[in-house]
């Protein structure tokens, strides 16, 4: 059937208009062809192996202590274990320091990892550029990072947010755009390599992912959240230890926040107290995670860290069909605590799309009272889904209709988020769609701090 010119124009006009449903905005942005993205080939430049005998590869760093004066430096060598030492010095110091860490390998089905090194470097000064060298004795490689400013309520600091990245050509675009952003530290909301989509969870794809992210993760800390693609539990091939590749490769500073598991912990960084929760560890009221969170929240001191940020993998407020209502069991257990302790913002991933609900809560429901609709609650955090990193499973394009009233903005495109904390009262959040490059912020708003500036900052009307 041939379409007349006029009806073509009418459709085009319709598509360019923002669709207002019951809730907020469903972006009408029309992406390029919707198809499943493909992983970059093994010999891609994004996975290049650094030259030289036993050259360190997959270099990445994450915060090592509770306040930002330690950094865990991690890397892999393949020819021999090599040295565990990291040599480091600050921009202004006249002296070099040395720290020694640990090295080990792990096996997964018929795969044996390279020699994985983790070294915690400590006693760092705040707000200082450090250089570091790994690969001592063999091929050395040098990198640098900047420590955060000392914890304080008014220090500006910018976090990036990426989730569900994977290792496709689209993932590569997301990472490049993030590198061109102002992000000082990346909040990673889970689902890293997607190696588990390969036969026998081919852990070679964990190695390619490590080499892929090095160009950012060796220079600024990535703060890790565990997703379902990190579980790698597969009894059929004899792999019964959950999170085996992830926990060997990506360490977290959980001991420094008195946590008993690497998957939930907290850090302070500049103006923020960041709590990482584990969607795939027990969270019921008798769980260790519940016990940890209920003792952690009273320790959050908003007169020292003004912003309270929470990371988790599976979102609680999600209006896509993908993983619809999956976050409910955890929401029921924890939501009233988030409201009580005035969480500012909760970032999640899992759903391969972008969504920003307004400040809502749904913690009045008690099974019999029927009060089960999320309602506007200016004491509640804003929930943001950034599961749009670009992995091979493709976008979650199906949305529930009509758009629920709590949902302010949703769009199935790849991209990343940026949270620019300005001071104790204001932070600017933006979502950057890949197709626009990094110049255009597709969704943006000012977030007012719930402790210091608890005014209504909603962008749509919610009953
Ligand atoms: C790193 O060192 C700091 C300072 O000693 C310590 O608080 C922290 O727990 C260490 N982190 C790890 C992961 O060992
Ligand atoms: C080292 O510090 C000086 C001043 O403190 C600064 O001008 C310079 O840019 C810094 N260099 C690096 C590489 O960070
Ligand atoms: C520190 O180590 C680096 C790299 O090995 C070296 O270039 C530099 O000269 C050393 N500085 C001092 C003060 O020893
Ligand atoms: C692991 O086993 C698979 C088939 O089961 C095979 O294709 C692959 O080459 C093996 N890998 C190694 C490192 O032996
Ligand atoms: C590589 O470095 C380690 C540790 O410094 C050293 O023991 C080993 O001899 C080196 N190997 C070669 C071939 O230089
Ligand atoms: C961090 O250091 C820079 C100079 O290198 C300075 O301009 C800035 O004010 C410092 N920030 C904090 C929060 O101390
Ligand atoms: C990935 O992105 C980098 C940086 O933009 C680029 O240099 C490289 O060619 C890209 N690789 C692929 C396979 O797209
Ligand atoms: C549920 O809440 C209603 C009022 O909102 C109250 O009347 C009822 O007793 C509650 N039921 C339970 C089981 O707590
Ligand atoms: C989207 O929903 C429609 C209707 O329920 C279904 O036919 C289709 O398979 C779904 N598409 C995806 C990608 O899930
Ligand atoms: C905080 O930052 C916002 C946005 O830049 C600014 O409008 C406001 O005046 C600042 N507040 C304080 C107390 O500095
Ligand atoms: Fe997921």
């Amino acid at each position: 059937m041939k379409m007349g010119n006029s009806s073509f124009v009418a459709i085009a006009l319709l598509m360019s208009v923002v669709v207002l449903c019951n809730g907020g905005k469903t972006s009408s942005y029309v992406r390029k062809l919707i198809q499943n993205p493909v992983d970059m080939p093994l010999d891609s430049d994004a996975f290049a192996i650094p030259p030289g005998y036993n050259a360190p590869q997959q270099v990445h760093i994450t915060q090592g202590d509770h306040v930002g004066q330690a950094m865990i430096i991690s890397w892999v060598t393949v020819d021999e274990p090599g040295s565990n030492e990291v040599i480091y010095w600050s921009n202004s110091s006249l002296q070099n320091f040395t720290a020694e860490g640990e090295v080990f390998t792990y096996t997964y089905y018929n795969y044996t990892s390279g020699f994985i090194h983790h070294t915690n470097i400590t006693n760092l000064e705040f707000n200082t550029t450090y250089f570091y060298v790994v690969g001592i004795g063999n091929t050395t490689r040098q990198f640098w990072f900047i420590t955060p400013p000392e914890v304080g309520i008014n220090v500006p600091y910018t976090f990036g947010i990426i989730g569900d990245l994977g290792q496709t050509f689209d993932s590569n675009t997301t990472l490049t755009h993030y590198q061109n952003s102002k992000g000082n530290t990346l909040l990673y909301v889970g689902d890293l390599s997607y190696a588990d989509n390969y036969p026998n969870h081919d852990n070679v794809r964990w190695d390619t992912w490590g080499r892929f992210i090095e160009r950012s993760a060796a220079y600024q800390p990535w703060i890790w959240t565990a997703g379902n693609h990190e579980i790698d539990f597969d009894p059929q091939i004899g792999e019964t230890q959950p999170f085996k590749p992830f926990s060997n490769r990506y360490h977290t500073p959980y001991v420094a926040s008195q946590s008993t598991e690497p998957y939930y912990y907290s850090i302070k960084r500049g103006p923020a107290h960041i709590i990482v929760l584990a969607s795939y560890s027990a969270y019921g009221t008798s769980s260790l995670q519940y016990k940890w969170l209920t003792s952690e929240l009273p320790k959050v001191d908003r007169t020292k860290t003004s912003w309270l940020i929470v990371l988790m993998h599976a979102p609680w407020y999600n209006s896509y069909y993908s993983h619809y209502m999956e976050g409910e069991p955890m929401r029921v257990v924890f939501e009233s605590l988030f409201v009580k302790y005035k969480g500012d913002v909760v970032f999640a991933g899992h759903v391969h799309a972008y969504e920003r609900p307004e400040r809502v809560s749904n913690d009045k429901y008690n099974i019999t009272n029927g009060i089960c609709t999320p309602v506007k609650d200016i004491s509640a955090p804003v929930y943001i889904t950034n599961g749009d990193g670009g992995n091979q499973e493709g976008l979650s394009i199906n949305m529930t209709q009509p758009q629920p009233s709590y949902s302010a903005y949703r769009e199935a495109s790849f991209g990343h988020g940026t949270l620019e904390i300005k001071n104790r009262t204001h932070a600017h959040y933006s979502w950057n769609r890949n197709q626009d490059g990094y110049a255009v912020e597709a969704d943006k708003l000012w977030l007012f701090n719930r402790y210091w500036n608890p005014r209504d900052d909603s962008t749509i009307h919610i009953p």
Side-chain angles (χ1 to χ4, degrees), residues 243 252 254-255 258-265 278 280-282 288-289:
F243 302 104
T252 62
Y254 68 103
V255 174
Q258 289 82 49
S259 164
T260 46
E261 247 190 62
Y263 317 118
Y264 50 86
Y265 60 97
Y280 305 98
S281 298
L288 290 172
Q289 181 167 198

Side-chain angles (χ1 to χ4, degrees), residues 95-239:
Q95 187 196 346
N96 281 355
F97 302 96
T98 303
E100 185 142 14
E102 54 175 348
V103 59
F104 51 78
T105 62
Y106 76 91
T107 59
Y108 192 94
Y109 184 55
N110 65 355
Y111 166 94
T112 304
S113 75
F115 302 97
I116 300 173
H117 302 254
H118 299 282
T119 297
N120 186 24
I121 66 177
T122 61
N123 295 315
L124 305 176
E125 285 171 48
F126 289 113
N127 194 25
T128 301
T129 301
Y130 279 87
F131 299 92
Y132 68 98
V133 171
V134 288
I136 311 304
N138 312 129
T139 307
T140 57
R141 295 181 67 206
Q142 184 177 317
F143 304 88
W144 56 268
F145 61 83
I146 303 171
T147 51
E150 189 167 4
V151 165
I153 51 172
N154 275 316
V155 289
Y157 203 72
T158 301
F159 294 98
I161 306 97
I162 292 181
D164 307 72
L165 182 61
Q167 44 191 298
T168 70
F169 293 91
D170 294 279
S171 320
N172 199 35
T173 305
T174 303
L175 184 57
T176 300
H177 289 173
Y178 174 62
Q179 288 183 279
N180 290 324
S181 79
K182 294 181 213 152
N184 301 130
T185 290
L186 184 76
L187 307 177
Y188 194 90
V189 288
D191 282 0
L192 283 60
S193 72
Y194 289 76
D196 59 346
N197 284 350
Y198 284 85
N200 309 315
H201 304 226
D202 188 358
N203 277 217
V204 166
R205 282 289 176 174
W206 274 104
D207 290 314
T208 53
W209 198 77
R211 295 199 294 273
F212 164 50
I213 63 158
E214 180 190 276
R215 67 185 204 235
S216 168
Y219 299 93
Q220 59 165 254
W222 285 33
I223 306 304
W224 300 110
T225 310
N228 53 308
H229 285 277
E230 277 68 74
I231 300 174
D232 285 307
F233 174 79
D234 196 344
Q236 286 189 336
I237 55 171
E239 289 301 340

Side-chain angles (χ1 to χ4, degrees), residues 115-410:
F115 302 97
I116 300 173
H117 302 254
H118 299 282
T119 297
N120 186 24
I121 66 177
T122 61
N123 295 315
L124 305 176
E125 285 171 48
F126 289 113
N127 194 25
T128 301
T129 301
Y130 279 87
F131 299 92
Y132 68 98
V133 171
V134 288
I136 311 304
N138 312 129
T139 307
T140 57
R141 295 181 67 206
Q142 184 177 317
F143 304 88
W144 56 268
F145 61 83
I146 303 171
T147 51
E150 189 167 4
V151 165
I153 51 172
N154 275 316
V155 289
Y157 203 72
T158 301
F159 294 98
I161 306 97
I162 292 181
D164 307 72
L165 182 61
Q167 44 191 298
T168 70
F169 293 91
D170 294 279
S171 320
N172 199 35
T173 305
T174 303
L175 184 57
T176 300
H177 289 173
Y178 174 62
Q179 288 183 279
N180 290 324
S181 79
K182 294 181 213 152
N184 301 130
T185 290
L186 184 76
L187 307 177
Y188 194 90
V189 288
D191 282 0
L192 283 60
S193 72
Y194 289 76
D196 59 346
N197 284 350
Y198 284 85
N200 309 315
H201 304 226
D202 188 358
N203 277 217
V204 166
R205 282 289 176 174
W206 274 104
D207 290 314
T208 53
W209 198 77
R211 295 199 294 273
F212 164 50
I213 63 158
E214 180 190 276
R215 67 185 204 235
S216 168
Y219 299 93
Q220 59 165 254
W222 285 33
I223 306 304
W224 300 110
T225 310
N228 53 308
H229 285 277
E230 277 68 74
I231 300 174
D232 285 307
F233 174 79
D234 196 344
Q236 286 189 336
I237 55 171
E239 289 301 340
T240 53
Q241 183 199 325
F243 302 104
K244 197 192 214 178
F246 173 69
S247 62
N248 279 299
R249 291 164 185 272
Y250 296 95
H251 280 187
T252 62
Y254 68 103
V255 174
S257 57
Q258 289 82 49
S259 164
T260 46
E261 247 190 62
Y263 317 118
Y264 50 86
Y265 60 97
S266 76
I267 58 168
K268 296 174 193 164
R269 202 164 176 85
H273 191 118
I274 298 167
I275 291 180
V276 178
L277 291 183
S279 299
Y280 305 98
S281 298
Y283 46 73
T285 49
S286 56
S287 67
L288 290 172
Q289 181 167 198
Y290 184 88
K291 199 183 276 180
W292 176 79
L293 182 64
T294 48
S295 64
E296 172 71 11
L297 283 167
K299 295 182 202 159
V300 179
D301 182 350
R302 305 297 275 277
T303 66
K304 297 207 164 65
T305 48
S306 40
W307 292 82
L308 176 54
I309 299 171
V310 180
L311 313 181
M312 60 177 68
H313 185 61
W316 293 354
Y317 288 97
N318 159 39
S319 74
Y320 289 81
Y321 273 114
S322 169
H323 306 299
Y324 187 62
M325 298 293 246
E326 236 180 72
E328 282 294 280
M330 193 196 231
R331 184 190 63 72
V332 167
V333 177
F334 287 148
E335 185 175 30
S336 54
L337 293 169
F338 284 21
V339 176
K340 177 175 173 196
Y341 288 97
K342 304 180 191 302
D344 290 300
V345 53
V346 178
F347 293 108
H350 201 35
V351 178
H352 300 160
Y354 174 67
E355 182 164 26
R356 176 176 58 81
E358 289 289 1
R359 294 189 188 280
V360 288
S361 67
N362 188 16
D363 55 2
K364 304 289 179 289
Y365 185 43
N366 70 3
I367 314 286
T368 59
N369 63 9
I371 307 174
C372 60
T373 308
V375 291
K376 177 168 179 162
D377 184 346
I378 66 161
S379 300
V382 166
Y383 295 87
I384 294 177
T385 302
N386 271 125
D388 49 357
N391 71 76
Q392 55 162 231
E393 293 177 356
L395 287 163
S396 303
I397 53 174
N398 271 359
M399 303 171 183
T400 61
Q401 300 296 352
Q403 184 168 17
S405 58
Y406 61 75
S407 175
Y409 187 104
R410 54 184 190 175

